[in-house]
Amino acid sequence: MMKKNGKIPVNWRGTEKSLLPRSFGMKLYPLLIPTPHHTILFKIPKGADNILESYPENFHDIWDDKHVKMPCSVFEKENKNRWDIIVASLSKPIKKSEQLEDAIMSYNLKYKGKWRFHLLHSFFENVLTKEEETDEFFENLLPKIINLALELPTFITSPIPLLKQNNNHSISISQIQIACLLANAFLCTFPNRNGDYSEYKTYPQINFNGLFQMKVQKSNDKYLYEKLKCIINYFKKVTDPNFVCKRAVTYSRRYLPENELPTWSKLTNQLTNLHIASTGTIENDGDGMYQVDFADKSIGGKVIGMGSVQEEIRFLICPELIVSQLFSQKMLPTESIIITGAERFNDYSGYSKSFKWGGNYTDDTPIDDNSHRRYCTVVAIDALYFRNPKLQFDPKNLSRELNKAYAGFSWGNKSDCSDVSVATGNWGCGVFRGDCHLKSLLQMLSAAEAKRDVVYFTFGKTTTRDSINDMHSFLKNKNVTVGEIFRILIKYNEYMQSHSKPNLYEFIKSTVNNSVVQKPQNKQIPPAVIDGQLNVSKNASQSVREKPIQSTSILKRERNEETEKKKKKRKIDEHFQSAS
Ligand code: APR
């Protein structure tokens, strides 16, 4: 264990975080260049300080199943002049929440009697109780939100492609365009996005009626008010005259076809570096790294609804992430969604029902001037939900989670951002009931295959931190490969069938320690795993390990190269730390 000035560090183990690579100074991926796979909704300005203007000049109206159906489209089937109704309703004076409800319902007639606005009304009855606060909202802020929303035909002039399943595509949107889209979502103007519309059944909620309908029935429902406070604060900032739109955010869908998935049982990589801490959070302490969103397959989860755990909180403190719900179809097992450049607008405290808005947040994340985006890459990957925890060890579930994490971690692997670390934590181990000892190991395997170091936050659990770190150190010191670890996990699943709750890490250690290292012989040692299934020997803890034996001089040379690489990385880091 690394001792810092002679003392064992209090809250972290493993490699010092500052030695692990971050994206600062690199060219953020994807580059801001329009291609058949990258739609850019604004004109790319020459200088870093120029305003991002909408592109093209005039509104290009499309109403098809490949693009977002815009509220201002003249091709709306049911109601050609629905946009006129929206403009007329929202242009009338709105002085209280009941009038806001009436305005919203006037262009959502089909939901009359179905949509409820409990939270919206009780927010003004029980939270913004002072008259001046309510006036401030209805006299000042709401008109700005409405003006922003009604700019839709001039702000968003290019059709927004849907990020459909089995597709790789990116969309870059300026912050003011994002604000305009979110204003429309807040005012529930997006058509066909609610209830029984089959065409959008596999898309997340985008209209905010899903949040407005929530009821605060007991005191621990009050976190719902806090969600509204985050959204209101976001609109306060983006409608402030000093808010200048010079930044953009890129939303990317990553799909890995079968032939690009690793054959986990055969991989010979070894684990990468690990920094693991019991304090800290991904968003606060994963700066410049790939920050994992413990997502739902329907990205955003219940942010526009009752949820307030890791993904929803991330979307509430960085509301620009919510726009991904407008065009991202549900994720399939080998897909991920990556959002680059999102700004953080809110601070917070607490978690789940104790979530509380913590006031305004000034985001000082460095900016990649080449692409007008902050060095903030959020990688959304949805874990499996396990009603029966035993099933998570099933080989097909192991492969599914490895592929899912790899689909996120390998993003930009062939780019300038190829060795940025991953900042993660107990992915799939909260609402989705996964085992963090297994899940952390799977993430380390996927990160190893993606050649990324790992920064892991155990969210307060010190014993988990120490046990995961101990396992990582053991496997690293023994040079156990990704393939071997995968094969041991398959053996563990077998062993578990006839033993109740064997300790995973003890099983791994005993298997590695008892394994016989086969000397290389002329005939190829048949891999102990055939097609992902292990040819299990009688005594499951025995194993056959093929390991390429290397001469010490090769190992020494490799070690020197490794040290050189680390020194270079440290120099880059020190340079950017002193610059920022
Ligand atoms: N940083 C690091 N770790 C965190 C953070 C954070 N900011 N927030 C929470 N954690 C840890 C906690 O230990 C938590 O129990 O991650 C664990 C898992 O968080 P969950 O949100 O429960 O993730 P998961 O189990 O993958 O469930 C995903 O929940 O938010 C919804 O939309 C999401 O439906 C999806 C489901």
Side-chain angles (χ1 to χ4, degrees), residues 154-177:
T154 49
F155 278 13
I156 311 282
T157 50
S158 171
I160 304 177
L162 292 172
L163 296 183
K164 291 192 160 199
Q165 293 171 343
N166 300 318
N167 267 293
N168 287 287
H169 197 89
S170 294
I171 308 171
S172 285
I173 312 177
S174 77
Q175 279 190 299
I176 203 67
Q177 290 174 320

mmCIF file with all atom_site columns, all heavy atoms in Angstrom, residues 154-177:
data_model
loop_
_atom_site.group_PDB
_atom_site.id
_atom_site.type_symbol
_atom_site.label_atom_id
_atom_site.label_alt_id
_atom_site.label_comp_id
_atom_site.label_asym_id
_atom_site.label_entity_id
_atom_site.label_seq_id
_atom_site.pdbx_PDB_ins_code
_atom_site.Cartn_x
_atom_site.Cartn_y
_atom_site.Cartn_z
_atom_site.occupancy
_atom_site.B_iso_or_equiv
_atom_site.pdbx_formal_charge
_atom_site.auth_seq_id
_atom_site.auth_comp_id
_atom_site.auth_asym_id
_atom_site.auth_atom_id
_atom_site.pdbx_PDB_model_num
ATOM 1   N N   . THR A 1 154 ? -36.479 29.525 -34.574 1.00 0.00 ? 154 THR A N   1
ATOM 2   C CA  . THR A 1 154 ? -35.277 30.274 -34.999 1.00 0.00 ? 154 THR A CA  1
ATOM 3   C C   . THR A 1 154 ? -34.022 29.712 -34.356 1.00 0.00 ? 154 THR A C   1
ATOM 4   O O   . THR A 1 154 ? -32.935 29.833 -34.884 1.00 0.00 ? 154 THR A O   1
ATOM 5   C CB  . THR A 1 154 ? -35.403 31.765 -34.584 1.00 0.00 ? 154 THR A CB  1
ATOM 6   O OG1 . THR A 1 154 ? -35.783 31.808 -33.211 1.00 0.00 ? 154 THR A OG1 1
ATOM 7   C CG2 . THR A 1 154 ? -36.450 32.476 -35.411 1.00 0.00 ? 154 THR A CG2 1
ATOM 8   N N   . PHE A 1 155 ? -34.173 29.072 -33.201 1.00 0.00 ? 155 PHE A N   1
ATOM 9   C CA  . PHE A 1 155 ? -32.959 28.532 -32.531 1.00 0.00 ? 155 PHE A CA  1
ATOM 10  C C   . PHE A 1 155 ? -32.578 27.163 -33.077 1.00 0.00 ? 155 PHE A C   1
ATOM 11  O O   . PHE A 1 155 ? -31.413 26.840 -33.230 1.00 0.00 ? 155 PHE A O   1
ATOM 12  C CB  . PHE A 1 155 ? -33.192 28.451 -31.033 1.00 0.00 ? 155 PHE A CB  1
ATOM 13  C CG  . PHE A 1 155 ? -32.973 29.766 -30.308 1.00 0.00 ? 155 PHE A CG  1
ATOM 14  C CD1 . PHE A 1 155 ? -32.853 30.949 -31.018 1.00 0.00 ? 155 PHE A CD1 1
ATOM 15  C CD2 . PHE A 1 155 ? -32.910 29.825 -28.932 1.00 0.00 ? 155 PHE A CD2 1
ATOM 16  C CE1 . PHE A 1 155 ? -32.654 32.160 -30.368 1.00 0.00 ? 155 PHE A CE1 1
ATOM 17  C CE2 . PHE A 1 155 ? -32.714 31.041 -28.249 1.00 0.00 ? 155 PHE A CE2 1
ATOM 18  C CZ  . PHE A 1 155 ? -32.584 32.207 -28.984 1.00 0.00 ? 155 PHE A CZ  1
ATOM 19  N N   . ILE A 1 156 ? -33.634 26.333 -33.322 1.00 0.00 ? 156 ILE A N   1
ATOM 20  C CA  . ILE A 1 156 ? -33.312 24.976 -33.802 1.00 0.00 ? 156 ILE A CA  1
ATOM 21  C C   . ILE A 1 156 ? -33.791 24.899 -35.255 1.00 0.00 ? 156 ILE A C   1
ATOM 22  O O   . ILE A 1 156 ? -34.941 24.585 -35.535 1.00 0.00 ? 156 ILE A O   1
ATOM 23  C CB  . ILE A 1 156 ? -34.024 23.887 -32.963 1.00 0.00 ? 156 ILE A CB  1
ATOM 24  C CG1 . ILE A 1 156 ? -33.823 24.123 -31.477 1.00 0.00 ? 156 ILE A CG1 1
ATOM 25  C CG2 . ILE A 1 156 ? -33.565 22.500 -33.406 1.00 0.00 ? 156 ILE A CG2 1
ATOM 26  C CD1 . ILE A 1 156 ? -32.489 23.718 -30.929 1.00 0.00 ? 156 ILE A CD1 1
ATOM 27  N N   . THR A 1 157 ? -32.900 25.196 -36.171 1.00 0.00 ? 157 THR A N   1
ATOM 28  C CA  . THR A 1 157 ? -33.320 25.282 -37.573 1.00 0.00 ? 157 THR A CA  1
ATOM 29  C C   . THR A 1 157 ? -33.010 24.001 -38.345 1.00 0.00 ? 157 THR A C   1
ATOM 30  O O   . THR A 1 157 ? -33.499 23.804 -39.439 1.00 0.00 ? 157 THR A O   1
ATOM 31  C CB  . THR A 1 157 ? -32.568 26.455 -38.245 1.00 0.00 ? 157 THR A CB  1
ATOM 32  O OG1 . THR A 1 157 ? -31.175 26.293 -37.948 1.00 0.00 ? 157 THR A OG1 1
ATOM 33  C CG2 . THR A 1 157 ? -33.050 27.785 -37.702 1.00 0.00 ? 157 THR A CG2 1
ATOM 34  N N   . SER A 1 158 ? -32.190 23.158 -37.742 1.00 0.00 ? 158 SER A N   1
ATOM 35  C CA  . SER A 1 158 ? -31.848 21.909 -38.433 1.00 0.00 ? 158 SER A CA  1
ATOM 36  C C   . SER A 1 158 ? -32.614 20.754 -37.772 1.00 0.00 ? 158 SER A C   1
ATOM 37  O O   . SER A 1 158 ? -32.732 20.727 -36.552 1.00 0.00 ? 158 SER A O   1
ATOM 38  C CB  . SER A 1 158 ? -30.340 21.679 -38.306 1.00 0.00 ? 158 SER A CB  1
ATOM 39  O OG  . SER A 1 158 ? -30.027 20.401 -38.770 1.00 0.00 ? 158 SER A OG  1
ATOM 40  N N   . PRO A 1 159 ? -33.108 19.802 -38.548 1.00 0.00 ? 159 PRO A N   1
ATOM 41  C CA  . PRO A 1 159 ? -33.813 18.660 -37.946 1.00 0.00 ? 159 PRO A CA  1
ATOM 42  C C   . PRO A 1 159 ? -32.887 17.904 -36.982 1.00 0.00 ? 159 PRO A C   1
ATOM 43  O O   . PRO A 1 159 ? -31.706 17.731 -37.278 1.00 0.00 ? 159 PRO A O   1
ATOM 44  C CB  . PRO A 1 159 ? -34.179 17.790 -39.144 1.00 0.00 ? 159 PRO A CB  1
ATOM 45  C CG  . PRO A 1 159 ? -34.056 18.671 -40.336 1.00 0.00 ? 159 PRO A CG  1
ATOM 46  C CD  . PRO A 1 159 ? -33.026 19.689 -40.016 1.00 0.00 ? 159 PRO A CD  1
ATOM 47  N N   . ILE A 1 160 ? -33.444 17.497 -35.843 1.00 0.00 ? 160 ILE A N   1
ATOM 48  C CA  . ILE A 1 160 ? -32.624 16.758 -34.858 1.00 0.00 ? 160 ILE A CA  1
ATOM 49  C C   . ILE A 1 160 ? -32.792 15.263 -35.117 1.00 0.00 ? 160 ILE A C   1
ATOM 50  O O   . ILE A 1 160 ? -33.894 14.729 -34.950 1.00 0.00 ? 160 ILE A O   1
ATOM 51  C CB  . ILE A 1 160 ? -33.061 17.085 -33.426 1.00 0.00 ? 160 ILE A CB  1
ATOM 52  C CG1 . ILE A 1 160 ? -32.998 18.594 -33.161 1.00 0.00 ? 160 ILE A CG1 1
ATOM 53  C CG2 . ILE A 1 160 ? -32.195 16.321 -32.428 1.00 0.00 ? 160 ILE A CG2 1
ATOM 54  C CD1 . ILE A 1 160 ? -33.480 19.003 -31.771 1.00 0.00 ? 160 ILE A CD1 1
ATOM 55  N N   . PRO A 1 161 ? -31.721 14.560 -35.488 1.00 0.00 ? 161 PRO A N   1
ATOM 56  C CA  . PRO A 1 161 ? -31.873 13.116 -35.754 1.00 0.00 ? 161 PRO A CA  1
ATOM 57  C C   . PRO A 1 161 ? -32.150 12.355 -34.458 1.00 0.00 ? 161 PRO A C   1
ATOM 58  O O   . PRO A 1 161 ? -31.652 12.726 -33.396 1.00 0.00 ? 161 PRO A O   1
ATOM 59  C CB  . PRO A 1 161 ? -30.523 12.724 -36.341 1.00 0.00 ? 161 PRO A CB  1
ATOM 60  C CG  . PRO A 1 161 ? -29.558 13.746 -35.863 1.00 0.00 ? 161 PRO A CG  1
ATOM 61  C CD  . PRO A 1 161 ? -30.324 15.008 -35.650 1.00 0.00 ? 161 PRO A CD  1
ATOM 62  N N   . LEU A 1 162 ? -32.935 11.319 -34.546 1.00 0.00 ? 162 LEU A N   1
ATOM 63  C CA  . LEU A 1 162 ? -33.137 10.439 -33.395 1.00 0.00 ? 162 LEU A CA  1
ATOM 64  C C   . LEU A 1 162 ? -31.919 9.530  -33.275 1.00 0.00 ? 162 LEU A C   1
ATOM 65  O O   . LEU A 1 162 ? -31.419 9.020  -34.280 1.00 0.00 ? 162 LEU A O   1
ATOM 66  C CB  . LEU A 1 162 ? -34.395 9.589  -33.602 1.00 0.00 ? 162 LEU A CB  1
ATOM 67  C CG  . LEU A 1 162 ? -35.722 10.350 -33.576 1.00 0.00 ? 162 LEU A CG  1
ATOM 68  C CD1 . LEU A 1 162 ? -36.881 9.430  -34.000 1.00 0.00 ? 162 LEU A CD1 1
ATOM 69  C CD2 . LEU A 1 162 ? -36.005 10.931 -32.190 1.00 0.00 ? 162 LEU A CD2 1
ATOM 70  N N   . LEU A 1 163 ? -31.400 9.364  -32.062 1.00 0.00 ? 163 LEU A N   1
ATOM 71  C CA  . LEU A 1 163 ? -30.270 8.432  -31.851 1.00 0.00 ? 163 LEU A CA  1
ATOM 72  C C   . LEU A 1 163 ? -30.894 7.056  -31.634 1.00 0.00 ? 163 LEU A C   1
ATOM 73  O O   . LEU A 1 163 ? -31.209 6.666  -30.518 1.00 0.00 ? 163 LEU A O   1
ATOM 74  C CB  . LEU A 1 163 ? -29.432 8.865  -30.649 1.00 0.00 ? 163 LEU A CB  1
ATOM 75  C CG  . LEU A 1 163 ? -28.717 10.216 -30.769 1.00 0.00 ? 163 LEU A CG  1
ATOM 76  C CD1 . LEU A 1 163 ? -27.861 10.482 -29.532 1.00 0.00 ? 163 LEU A CD1 1
ATOM 77  C CD2 . LEU A 1 163 ? -27.867 10.310 -32.033 1.00 0.00 ? 163 LEU A CD2 1
ATOM 78  N N   . LYS A 1 164 ? -31.073 6.350  -32.758 1.00 0.00 ? 164 LYS A N   1
ATOM 79  C CA  . LYS A 1 164 ? -31.814 5.086  -32.714 1.00 0.00 ? 164 LYS A CA  1
ATOM 80  C C   . LYS A 1 164 ? -30.909 3.918  -32.340 1.00 0.00 ? 164 LYS A C   1
ATOM 81  O O   . LYS A 1 164 ? -29.685 4.001  -32.466 1.00 0.00 ? 164 LYS A O   1
ATOM 82  C CB  . LYS A 1 164 ? -32.447 4.831  -34.095 1.00 0.00 ? 164 LYS A CB  1
ATOM 83  C CG  . LYS A 1 164 ? -33.561 5.802  -34.415 1.00 0.00 ? 164 LYS A CG  1
ATOM 84  C CD  . LYS A 1 164 ? -34.352 5.347  -35.636 1.00 0.00 ? 164 LYS A CD  1
ATOM 85  C CE  . LYS A 1 164 ? -35.713 6.013  -35.657 1.00 0.00 ? 164 LYS A CE  1
ATOM 86  N NZ  . LYS A 1 164 ? -36.660 5.309  -36.524 1.00 0.00 ? 164 LYS A NZ  1
ATOM 87  N N   . GLN A 1 165 ? -31.534 2.843  -31.950 1.00 0.00 ? 165 GLN A N   1
ATOM 88  C CA  . GLN A 1 165 ? -30.772 1.645  -31.557 1.00 0.00 ? 165 GLN A CA  1
ATOM 89  C C   . GLN A 1 165 ? -29.948 1.125  -32.738 1.00 0.00 ? 165 GLN A C   1
ATOM 90  O O   . GLN A 1 165 ? -30.286 1.367  -33.894 1.00 0.00 ? 165 GLN A O   1
ATOM 91  C CB  . GLN A 1 165 ? -31.763 0.567  -31.080 1.00 0.00 ? 165 GLN A CB  1
ATOM 92  C CG  . GLN A 1 165 ? -32.469 0.967  -29.793 1.00 0.00 ? 165 GLN A CG  1
ATOM 93  C CD  . GLN A 1 165 ? -33.604 0.034  -29.407 1.00 0.00 ? 165 GLN A CD  1
ATOM 94  O OE1 . GLN A 1 165 ? -34.084 -0.730 -30.238 1.00 0.00 ? 165 GLN A OE1 1
ATOM 95  N NE2 . GLN A 1 165 ? -34.055 0.124  -28.153 1.00 0.00 ? 165 GLN A NE2 1
ATOM 96  N N   . ASN A 1 166 ? -28.874 0.435  -32.379 1.00 0.00 ? 166 ASN A N   1
ATOM 97  C CA  . ASN A 1 166 ? -27.973 -0.158 -33.386 1.00 0.00 ? 166 ASN A CA  1
ATOM 98  C C   . ASN A 1 166 ? -27.380 0.885  -34.328 1.00 0.00 ? 166 ASN A C   1
ATOM 99  O O   . ASN A 1 166 ? -27.116 0.612  -35.497 1.00 0.00 ? 166 ASN A O   1
ATOM 100 C CB  . ASN A 1 166 ? -28.704 -1.223 -34.229 1.00 0.00 ? 166 ASN A CB  1
ATOM 101 C CG  . ASN A 1 166 ? -29.218 -2.326 -33.338 1.00 0.00 ? 166 ASN A CG  1
ATOM 102 O OD1 . ASN A 1 166 ? -28.517 -2.764 -32.428 1.00 0.00 ? 166 ASN A OD1 1
ATOM 103 N ND2 . ASN A 1 166 ? -30.460 -2.727 -33.532 1.00 0.00 ? 166 ASN A ND2 1
ATOM 104 N N   . ASN A 1 167 ? -27.189 2.096  -33.796 1.00 0.00 ? 167 ASN A N   1
ATOM 105 C CA  . ASN A 1 167 ? -26.592 3.151  -34.624 1.00 0.00 ? 167 ASN A CA  1
ATOM 106 C C   . ASN A 1 167 ? -25.517 3.888  -33.854 1.00 0.00 ? 167 ASN A C   1
ATOM 107 O O   . ASN A 1 167 ? -25.650 4.048  -32.627 1.00 0.00 ? 167 ASN A O   1
ATOM 108 C CB  . ASN A 1 167 ? -27.672 4.166  -35.025 1.00 0.00 ? 167 ASN A CB  1
ATOM 109 C CG  . ASN A 1 167 ? -28.276 3.790  -36.361 1.00 0.00 ? 167 ASN A CG  1
ATOM 110 O OD1 . ASN A 1 167 ? -27.589 3.850  -37.375 1.00 0.00 ? 167 ASN A OD1 1
ATOM 111 N ND2 . ASN A 1 167 ? -29.522 3.361  -36.349 1.00 0.00 ? 167 ASN A ND2 1
ATOM 112 N N   . ASN A 1 168 ? -24.504 4.354  -34.556 1.00 0.00 ? 168 ASN A N   1
ATOM 113 C CA  . ASN A 1 168 ? -23.491 5.232  -33.950 1.00 0.00 ? 168 ASN A CA  1
ATOM 114 C C   . ASN A 1 168 ? -23.705 6.618  -34.536 1.00 0.00 ? 168 ASN A C   1
ATOM 115 O O   . ASN A 1 168 ? -23.587 6.797  -35.752 1.00 0.00 ? 168 ASN A O   1
ATOM 116 C CB  . ASN A 1 168 ? -22.089 4.723  -34.302 1.00 0.00 ? 168 ASN A CB  1
ATOM 117 C CG  . ASN A 1 168 ? -21.752 3.460  -33.532 1.00 0.00 ? 168 ASN A CG  1
ATOM 118 O OD1 . ASN A 1 168 ? -21.504 3.525  -32.329 1.00 0.00 ? 168 ASN A OD1 1
ATOM 119 N ND2 . ASN A 1 168 ? -21.795 2.312  -34.202 1.00 0.00 ? 168 ASN A ND2 1
ATOM 120 N N   . HIS A 1 169 ? -24.048 7.569  -33.684 1.00 0.00 ? 169 HIS A N   1
ATOM 121 C CA  . HIS A 1 169 ? -24.254 8.921  -34.202 1.00 0.00 ? 169 HIS A CA  1
ATOM 122 C C   . HIS A 1 169 ? -24.076 9.907  -33.055 1.00 0.00 ? 169 HIS A C   1
ATOM 123 O O   . HIS A 1 169 ? -24.328 9.568  -31.891 1.00 0.00 ? 169 HIS A O   1
ATOM 124 C CB  . HIS A 1 169 ? -25.659 9.072  -34.788 1.00 0.00 ? 169 HIS A CB  1
ATOM 125 C CG  . HIS A 1 169 ? -25.779 10.269 -35.681 1.00 0.00 ? 169 HIS A CG  1
ATOM 126 N ND1 . HIS A 1 169 ? -25.509 10.211 -37.042 1.00 0.00 ? 169 HIS A ND1 1
ATOM 127 C CD2 . HIS A 1 169 ? -26.091 11.565 -35.414 1.00 0.00 ? 169 HIS A CD2 1
ATOM 128 C CE1 . HIS A 1 169 ? -25.680 11.411 -37.566 1.00 0.00 ? 169 HIS A CE1 1
ATOM 129 N NE2 . HIS A 1 169 ? -26.034 12.262 -36.604 1.00 0.00 ? 169 HIS A NE2 1
ATOM 130 N N   . SER A 1 170 ? -23.616 11.111 -33.402 1.00 0.00 ? 170 SER A N   1
ATOM 131 C CA  . SER A 1 170 ? -23.467 12.195 -32.409 1.00 0.00 ? 170 SER A CA  1
ATOM 132 C C   . SER A 1 170 ? -24.254 13.407 -32.863 1.00 0.00 ? 170 SER A C   1
ATOM 133 O O   . SER A 1 170 ? -24.411 13.635 -34.073 1.00 0.00 ? 170 SER A O   1
ATOM 134 C CB  . SER A 1 170 ? -21.991 12.566 -32.257 1.00 0.00 ? 170 SER A CB  1
ATOM 135 O OG  . SER A 1 170 ? -21.257 11.497 -31.693 1.00 0.00 ? 170 SER A OG  1
ATOM 136 N N   . ILE A 1 171 ? -24.724 14.180 -31.864 1.00 0.00 ? 171 ILE A N   1
ATOM 137 C CA  . ILE A 1 171 ? -25.402 15.445 -32.154 1.00 0.00 ? 171 ILE A CA  1
ATOM 138 C C   . ILE A 1 171 ? -24.765 16.508 -31.271 1.00 0.00 ? 171 ILE A C   1
ATOM 139 O O   . ILE A 1 171 ? -24.712 16.325 -30.041 1.00 0.00 ? 171 ILE A O   1
ATOM 140 C CB  . ILE A 1 171 ? -26.914 15.373 -31.792 1.00 0.00 ? 171 ILE A CB  1
ATOM 141 C CG1 . ILE A 1 171 ? -27.585 14.163 -32.429 1.00 0.00 ? 171 ILE A CG1 1
ATOM 142 C CG2 . ILE A 1 171 ? -27.623 16.652 -32.228 1.00 0.00 ? 171 ILE A CG2 1
ATOM 143 C CD1 . ILE A 1 171 ? -29.011 13.929 -31.937 1.00 0.00 ? 171 ILE A CD1 1
ATOM 144 N N   . SER A 1 172 ? -24.275 17.577 -31.871 1.00 0.00 ? 172 SER A N   1
ATOM 145 C CA  . SER A 1 172 ? -23.721 18.684 -31.076 1.00 0.00 ? 172 SER A CA  1
ATOM 146 C C   . SER A 1 172 ? -24.693 19.850 -31.097 1.00 0.00 ? 172 SER A C   1
ATOM 147 O O   . SER A 1 172 ? -25.185 20.256 -32.158 1.00 0.00 ? 172 SER A O   1
ATOM 148 C CB  . SER A 1 172 ? -22.356 19.089 -31.629 1.00 0.00 ? 172 SER A CB  1
ATOM 149 O OG  . SER A 1 172 ? -21.391 18.109 -31.264 1.00 0.00 ? 172 SER A OG  1
ATOM 150 N N   . ILE A 1 173 ? -24.976 20.352 -29.897 1.00 0.00 ? 173 ILE A N   1
ATOM 151 C CA  . ILE A 1 173 ? -26.000 21.386 -29.743 1.00 0.00 ? 173 ILE A CA  1
ATOM 152 C C   . ILE A 1 173 ? -25.428 22.505 -28.878 1.00 0.00 ? 173 ILE A C   1
ATOM 153 O O   . ILE A 1 173 ? -24.725 22.219 -27.898 1.00 0.00 ? 173 ILE A O   1
ATOM 154 C CB  . ILE A 1 173 ? -27.247 20.783 -29.046 1.00 0.00 ? 173 ILE A CB  1
ATOM 155 C CG1 . ILE A 1 173 ? -27.662 19.462 -29.690 1.00 0.00 ? 173 ILE A CG1 1
ATOM 156 C CG2 . ILE A 1 173 ? -28.416 21.759 -29.097 1.00 0.00 ? 173 ILE A CG2 1
ATOM 157 C CD1 . ILE A 1 173 ? -28.840 18.770 -29.013 1.00 0.00 ? 173 ILE A CD1 1
ATOM 158 N N   . SER A 1 174 ? -25.699 23.742 -29.221 1.00 0.00 ? 174 SER A N   1
ATOM 159 C CA  . SER A 1 174 ? -25.171 24.858 -28.403 1.00 0.00 ? 174 SER A CA  1
ATOM 160 C C   . SER A 1 174 ? -25.992 24.963 -27.113 1.00 0.00 ? 174 SER A C   1
ATOM 161 O O   . SER A 1 174 ? -27.143 24.493 -27.045 1.00 0.00 ? 174 SER A O   1
ATOM 162 C CB  . SER A 1 174 ? -25.270 26.172 -29.183 1.00 0.00 ? 174 SER A CB  1
ATOM 163 O OG  . SER A 1 174 ? -26.610 26.634 -29.173 1.00 0.00 ? 174 SER A OG  1
ATOM 164 N N   . GLN A 1 175 ? -25.415 25.629 -26.116 1.00 0.00 ? 175 GLN A N   1
ATOM 165 C CA  . GLN A 1 175 ? -26.099 25.678 -24.816 1.00 0.00 ? 175 GLN A CA  1
ATOM 166 C C   . GLN A 1 175 ? -27.423 26.428 -24.917 1.00 0.00 ? 175 GLN A C   1
ATOM 167 O O   . GLN A 1 175 ? -28.389 26.066 -24.246 1.00 0.00 ? 175 GLN A O   1
ATOM 168 C CB  . GLN A 1 175 ? -25.181 26.354 -23.791 1.00 0.00 ? 175 GLN A CB  1
ATOM 169 C CG  . GLN A 1 175 ? -24.124 25.419 -23.211 1.00 0.00 ? 175 GLN A CG  1
ATOM 170 C CD  . GLN A 1 175 ? -23.401 26.052 -22.046 1.00 0.00 ? 175 GLN A CD  1
ATOM 171 O OE1 . GLN A 1 175 ? -22.769 27.086 -22.199 1.00 0.00 ? 175 GLN A OE1 1
ATOM 172 N NE2 . GLN A 1 175 ? -23.494 25.439 -20.891 1.00 0.00 ? 175 GLN A NE2 1
ATOM 173 N N   . ILE A 1 176 ? -27.492 27.448 -25.768 1.00 0.00 ? 176 ILE A N   1
ATOM 174 C CA  . ILE A 1 176 ? -28.748 28.202 -25.847 1.00 0.00 ? 176 ILE A CA  1
ATOM 175 C C   . ILE A 1 176 ? -29.809 27.360 -26.572 1.00 0.00 ? 176 ILE A C   1
ATOM 176 O O   . ILE A 1 176 ? -30.992 27.383 -26.228 1.00 0.00 ? 176 ILE A O   1
ATOM 177 C CB  . ILE A 1 176 ? -28.545 29.573 -26.526 1.00 0.00 ? 176 ILE A CB  1
ATOM 178 C CG1 . ILE A 1 176 ? -29.653 30.542 -26.092 1.00 0.00 ? 176 ILE A CG1 1
ATOM 179 C CG2 . ILE A 1 176 ? -28.431 29.466 -28.026 1.00 0.00 ? 176 ILE A CG2 1
ATOM 180 C CD1 . ILE A 1 176 ? -29.599 30.934 -24.630 1.00 0.00 ? 176 ILE A CD1 1
ATOM 181 N N   . GLN A 1 177 ? -29.364 26.549 -27.526 1.00 0.00 ? 177 GLN A N   1
ATOM 182 C CA  . GLN A 1 177 ? -30.310 25.645 -28.203 1.00 0.00 ? 177 GLN A CA  1
ATOM 183 C C   . GLN A 1 177 ? -30.818 24.600 -27.209 1.00 0.00 ? 177 GLN A C   1
ATOM 184 O O   . GLN A 1 177 ? -32.002 24.256 -27.179 1.00 0.00 ? 177 GLN A O   1
ATOM 185 C CB  . GLN A 1 177 ? -29.623 24.965 -29.384 1.00 0.00 ? 177 GLN A CB  1
ATOM 186 C CG  . GLN A 1 177 ? -29.314 25.908 -30.553 1.00 0.00 ? 177 GLN A CG  1
ATOM 187 C CD  . GLN A 1 177 ? -28.490 25.224 -31.638 1.00 0.00 ? 177 GLN A CD  1
ATOM 188 O OE1 . GLN A 1 177 ? -27.561 24.438 -31.343 1.00 0.00 ? 177 GLN A OE1 1
ATOM 189 N NE2 . GLN A 1 177 ? -28.806 25.486 -32.884 1.00 0.00 ? 177 GLN A NE2 1
#
